[in-house]
Amino acid sequence: MSRTLRVSLTLAVTLLLGGCMSDNGANDPLPRMSRDKAQAWAQHWVESMARTTKSEIIAGTPEANFHNCTGKNGETADDGRFMLMFNARTKLPRDRYVEATRALKDELAKQGFEIVGYQEGPGQERGAYGLQASHPKDKQYVSAGDVGDDVWNLSVDTPCLLPPDAEQQQF
């Protein structure tokens, strides 16, 4: 496993495990969104990232994975809260990796994201190009990077979300 992939996975797990708790407390109101709207929102972000990198989403690769939220101290709730990890593979020629990485970094920074990981080579090994970013207010996490010959993975992870009609469980 490449160093970049290990760093990406570590950052994703760290952000996701803390995703159900706000900085202020375990019982702070969670953002509300249905699973369908969360998936549409995440797909929109992945499509936007593909446009920014000028890559083409590979048919059949978008994948939505819903997970239960786990709090900082291992808390789980029965109120329907969830997180979504949405990703897609795209076709991107290797000679455009640097351009794509820089374009995505610049666009995410304009959108208010903090770049928490960035690599643009050198080298021909997989995992040498990509980035990870999180939004300090909205708590979503995005990542992009090379995973194969002329193939990139684009992903969006939501914070812990509560369905619109659910009553938030208190801890």
Side-chain angles (χ1 to χ4, degrees):
M1 182 182 304
S2 74
R3 180 181 183 282
T4 301
L5 183 56
R6 283 192 308 271
V7 169
S8 295
L9 291 174
T10 300
L11 285 169
V13 169
T14 300
L15 287 168
L16 291 174
L17 288 178
C20 286
M21 304 295 127
S22 73
D23 292 335
N24 297 322
N27 293 315
D28 288 353
L30 293 172
R32 292 185 178 268
M33 191 177 294
S34 70
R35 286 178 180 241
D36 288 343
K37 287 195 184 223
Q39 185 169 337
W41 175 85
Q43 182 164 343
H44 168 77
W45 266 100
V46 164
E47 289 169 352
S48 177
M49 291 166 58
R51 283 190 303 275
T52 298
T53 59
K54 299 178 183 171
S55 61
E56 178 185 338
I57 294 176
I58 298 170
T61 67
E63 183 178 13
N65 293 297
F66 291 93
H67 300 278
N68 292 327
C69 298
T70 303
K72 290 179 183 176
N73 298 312
E75 308 93 343
T76 58
D78 296 320
D79 57 9
R81 61 183 75 184
F82 66 92
M83 294 182 317
L84 169 61
M85 298 172 74
F86 188 91
N87 67 66
R89 300 277 171 115
T90 65
K91 295 178 188 177
L92 183 68
R94 180 169 284 283
D95 64 354
R96 293 195 30 247
Y97 282 9
V98 171
E99 172 190 344
T101 305
R102 289 177 183 171
L104 191 55
K105 177 182 169 224
D106 292 346
E107 183 58 32
L108 289 170
K110 284 181 196 174
Q111 298 290 331
F113 281 79
E114 293 177 355
I115 307 303
V116 296
Y118 181 79
Q119 187 169 343
E120 64 172 56
Q124 296 297 313
E125 69 277 0
R126 290 184 182 137
Y129 299 88
L131 64 90
Q132 303 83 38
S134 65
H135 198 280
K137 179 183 174 204
D138 299 333
K139 305 296 185 197
Q140 69 259 35
Y141 174 85
V142 298
S143 64
D146 63 310
V147 293
D149 295 333
D150 299 335
V151 178
W152 268 45
N153 189 68
L154 303 175
S155 69
V156 175
D157 300 341
T158 70
C160 189
L161 300 170
L162 190 66
D165 57 348
E167 184 176 328
Q168 184 170 334
Q169 181 177 343
Q170 301 294 298
F171 289 96

